Amino acid sequence: QVQLVESGGGLVQAGGSLRLSCTASGNILSIRTMGWYRQTPGIQRELVARVTSGGLTNYADSVKGRFTISRNNARNLLYLQMNSMKPEDTSVYYCRADVRGVIDPFWGQGTQVTVSS
């Protein structure tokens, strides 16, 4: 079992920045890829960015050049630095962890991010 807790969401004006954090606990030695996803009501949850245990990253096209994902394995932390934010970034952001030997990923409870125009 892995537990994930997100923090750092809130309200920001367009063009501003926010930094999300995700703290992992439990069977953390088995965590492989970690990522950030977001979900807006009526829309399927979508990938924002993810990073492997080896540091390889990939991003959704909509956030490339604006968002940066990073990971501190020693401290079981995952971050998402969001810059030049847009109203369309408004969503609930979820932390996800894929664990070795476990089919279903683990999810955090989500944190609301609202970008005002």
Side-chain angles (χ1 to χ4, degrees):
Q1 290 285 339
V2 171
Q3 295 78 42
L4 303 170
V5 178
E6 302 101 334
S7 61
L11 174 65
V12 64
Q13 289 188 331
S17 298
L18 278 177
R19 188 194 198 203
L20 303 183
S21 299
C22 173
T23 302
S25 60
N27 189 17
I28 58 174
L29 294 180
S30 295
I31 294 176
R32 302 176 68 181
T33 299
M34 296 188 75
W36 291 98
Y37 290 69
R38 63 188 181 189
Q39 187 168 23
T40 306
I43 300 177
Q44 188 174 0
R45 190 172 296 186
E46 62 176 2
L47 170 70
V48 177
R50 60 188 171 197
V51 56
T52 68
S53 56
L56 297 176
T57 60
N58 68 293
Y59 296 87
D61 288 342
S62 59
V63 307
K64 282 181 181 177
R66 300 188 299 122
F67 291 10
T68 302
I69 190 170
S70 60
R71 181 172 176 175
N72 186 327
N73 289 330
R75 299 184 64 185
N76 317 321
L77 294 170
L78 181 72
Y79 302 103
L80 184 69
Q81 178 66 44
M82 304 184 289
N83 299 327
S84 303
M85 298 188 72
K86 305 175 180 180
E88 52 263 42
D89 293 322
T90 296
S91 191
V92 178
Y93 284 71
Y94 296 89
C95 177
R96 165 177 162 159
D98 296 307
V99 174
R100 186 182 308 113
V102 178
I103 295 175
D104 295 327
F106 293 89
W107 295 93
Q109 81 286 353
T111 184
Q112 176 69 47
V113 171
T114 302
V115 184
S116 63
S117 57

